[in-house]
Amino acid sequence: MTVLLVALGAAVGAPLRYLTDRAVQARHDSEFPWGTFIVNMVGSALLGFLAGLPASTAVTALLGTGFCGALTTYSTFSYETWRLADRGSHFLALANVLASLLAGLGAGAIGLMLALAVR
């Protein structure tokens, strides 16, 4: 049952990541991967929020592992960072690494604090 919940969450999270990334990138004329950055921050905040709730194993599997796991993407982040560096955009590559790390940790912490405040 847990595997099915993870798969169901992922079936929603992955297409949402793709559609969000395309929508954001279409609105920015920039090499910086804003779409991936945004979905990773939203996913980090949501996962932080879920971590702060007294959630069941089923909810954690569906929303945490499945949805957030598919919404966020470390592989795309890595690839886009490598691509920026390979194209000579070393500043943007470094900015992507630092901003993603710091903002991701911050978003997760904010999500956790919000959950603790409302529970």
Side-chain angles (χ1 to χ4, degrees):
M1 181 63 173
T2 303
V3 172
L4 293 175
L5 290 170
V6 171
L8 180 61
V12 174
L16 185 59
R17 170 176 41 92
Y18 174 77
L19 293 171
T20 302
D21 177 59
R22 295 296 84 209
V24 170
Q25 286 305 118
R27 287 168 176 75
H28 292 337
D29 187 26
S30 169
E31 279 189 280
F32 191 83
W34 286 110
T36 300
F37 181 80
I38 288 171
V39 295
N40 285 342
M41 296 314 106
V42 169
S44 294
L46 180 57
L47 190 56
F49 185 79
L50 290 170
L53 296 177
S56 68
T57 304
V59 170
T60 301
L62 176 71
L63 297 178
T65 305
F67 181 76
C68 290
L71 179 66
T72 60
T73 172
Y74 192 78
S75 58
T76 303
F77 157 72
S78 299
Y79 171 73
E80 289 173 342
T81 301
W82 173 83
R83 193 178 70 207
L84 286 169
D86 190 53
R87 291 181 179 170
S89 298
H90 300 288
F91 174 77
L92 288 178
L94 181 61
N96 190 35
V97 170
L98 294 176
S100 293
L101 178 63
L102 295 173
L105 289 170
I110 289 168
L112 178 62
M113 287 186 283
L114 284 171
L116 295 175
V118 298
R119 85 179 209 190

